[in-house]
Amino acid sequence: MSRVRVGLLDDEERAAIADLLGAERLPGEYANIALDKLDQALREVTGLETRDVVAKLIGPVGNRADERRRAAAEREELWTWLAEHPVVAAQPALMDWVAGVRRTGLVDKSMKRTREELGRALRVLGELPAAGVPLPVFADAVLGETHALDEGTRCAGLVTRALAAIYDVAPPVDAPERRALWERAGIADDELSSTVLAAGLRLRGDDVVSRILQACAEAGTAAVLTLQQLRATESIKAPERVWVFENPSVLALALDRFSTACPPVVCISGWPSSAGILLLRRLGEAGAQLRYHGDFDGEGLRIAANVVARTGAVPWRMTSADYLAAAGDGPPVGRVTPAPWDAELAGHLVRVGKTVPEERVASALLDEMAQA
């Protein structure tokens, strides 16, 4: 800025400006004053420049250009922190959510407040899917406040939009849709309707889950474990390795092939239920290596990323080479998001564009299980 406009000026103020600048005529009711001339005049009178005089009269004068640049840099740092947060990195489907949050802008125009709110939402996402607990109980455990995730709160809105991105559904617009989304993430699941399939697990305990699994393993059949049963089991003696499949049809093939000699298998049946997550976490905590395989399509990659992030499972035969070796005719892959364990895998799915269902490679998977 090289000039400043002042006014309305009364006669006394017009005369003062003319005297200060050494002007031959009085300015009008508004005066356009060149800052270099004003600096020169003030230096001659006071020994100070305009900025120093103003600072003495009304306080420090900011540099708006510097302030704008600093604010822009701080905003960019905030969005970079969000995009690189471990919760987002573990489930790249959340990058669409990150972009939406960025478009929405700062909370109350405050970067500090925005970071605090996002931090709360990320803590929640890092604990989901839950093990079928009611929403107030879950909110209290994670955020220290039973109503922190009530409908209408900013945190609940951030989390439900993030869940919609993870599950690739439209953001909820009413209470039933929000409730369904929370239930999908393991909140307030019914203890009896939330189940997981397992076979070949011989845990040798005396609790109800161990007895059910032992009986089914000896009979060469699959066990259906409920969330209620798993919650009643405090400890599990796990095998060294557990094979985890996305689709029940692959578990059926394993039982047909191995019968009573079936290796330890868990089937999550698509997006894992609260029971599925709880069983896998218990097995992992007991020392089992969880080896996960699922469909090669957009949703399959998101399910795999979710399971890996939530349970510590290791992707098994889920690399670019595995996909390309099995790719052929099949349904479209749908919306694809990056796979955290293989930076090139999503690109290959987009380029080839064809789904590789888990059943297509089941024979090779079972061969490896037999060898192990």
Side-chain angles (χ1 to χ4, degrees), residues 232-283:
T233 303
E234 295 184 358
S235 62
I236 286 179
K237 296 178 181 179
E240 178 182 351
R241 182 183 295 114
V242 176
W243 311 88
V244 186
F245 296 122
E246 178 185 340
N247 298 287
S249 55
V250 181
L251 174 58
L253 292 172
L255 286 169
D256 285 343
R257 175 166 173 173
F258 297 115
S259 185
T260 58
C262 186
V265 176
V266 173
C267 177
I268 61 170
S269 304
W271 283 98
S273 65
S274 296
I277 291 295
L278 183 56
L279 175 59
L280 293 178
R281 283 178 173 171
R282 291 273 179 85
L283 291 169

Side-chain angles (χ1 to χ4, degrees), residues 58-358:
I58 65 172
V61 179
N63 186 318
R64 291 185 178 179
D66 284 347
E67 290 171 358
R68 285 194 295 270
R69 284 192 292 270
R70 184 165 55 252
E74 290 174 354
R75 285 194 300 273
E76 191 60 34
E77 189 276 333
L78 171 68
W79 303 132
T80 299
W81 164 79
L82 177 59
E84 296 178 353
H85 193 280
V87 169
V88 176
Q91 298 194 75
L94 286 171
M95 287 305 297
D96 287 346
W97 172 71
V98 170
V101 170
R102 183 167 185 166
R103 286 193 300 270
T104 301
L106 301 177
V107 176
D108 299 333
K109 299 182 180 180
S110 167
M111 276 173 278
K112 179 181 178 181
R113 179 77 185 282
T114 303
R115 189 161 185 150
E116 289 174 351
E117 291 289 347
L118 289 172
R120 286 161 56 84
L122 289 165
R123 286 206 304 275
V124 172
L125 292 169
E127 296 297 326
L128 291 174
V133 297
L135 189 59
V137 175
F138 176 77
D140 189 47
V142 178
L143 299 176
E145 182 184 347
T146 56
H147 297 292
L149 294 171
D150 284 359
E151 182 179 336
T153 62
R154 181 173 279 110
C155 191
L158 286 168
V159 172
T160 53
R161 288 195 294 274
L163 292 176
I166 290 173
Y167 296 124
D168 195 23
V169 298
V173 297
D174 54 29
E177 289 185 2
R178 283 188 289 271
R179 185 164 55 251
L181 195 57
W182 280 119
E183 288 176 354
R184 194 169 187 179
I187 296 295
D189 270 350
D190 182 271
E191 285 191 327
L192 299 181
S193 63
S194 179
T195 62
V196 60
L197 294 170
L201 276 169
R202 293 173 169 84
L203 303 184
R204 295 184 298 278
D206 193 39
D207 56 90
V208 63
V209 168
S210 296
R211 293 200 304 270
I212 291 172
L213 289 172
Q214 183 71 25
C216 289
E218 291 174 355
T221 62
V224 182
L225 301 175
T226 68
L227 181 60
Q228 182 190 56
Q229 293 164 342
L230 288 165
R231 281 182 170 173
T233 303
E234 295 184 358
S235 62
I236 286 179
K237 296 178 181 179
E240 178 182 351
R241 182 183 295 114
V242 176
W243 311 88
V244 186
F245 296 122
E246 178 185 340
N247 298 287
S249 55
V250 181
L251 174 58
L253 292 172
L255 286 169
D256 285 343
R257 175 166 173 173
F258 297 115
S259 185
T260 58
C262 186
V265 176
V266 173
C267 177
I268 61 170
S269 304
W271 283 98
S273 65
S274 296
I277 291 295
L278 183 56
L279 175 59
L280 293 178
R281 283 178 173 171
R282 291 273 179 85
L283 291 169
E285 290 165 358
Q289 181 194 54
L290 307 175
R291 307 195 71 184
Y292 178 81
H293 190 279
D295 291 332
F296 280 110
D297 60 8
E299 186 168 42
L301 295 193
R302 286 188 290 278
I303 292 173
N306 185 276
V307 173
V308 169
R310 301 279 72 82
T311 69
V314 177
W316 165 46
R317 287 184 172 263
M318 291 285 289
T319 67
S320 295
D322 295 313
Y323 171 69
L324 294 173
D329 193 21
V333 294
R335 170 177 165 256
V336 177
T337 50
W341 62 90
D342 187 329
E344 298 179 353
L345 179 55
H348 290 307
L349 261 71
V350 171
R351 179 177 57 81
V352 176
K354 298 296 184 181
T355 293
V356 174
E358 193 173 32

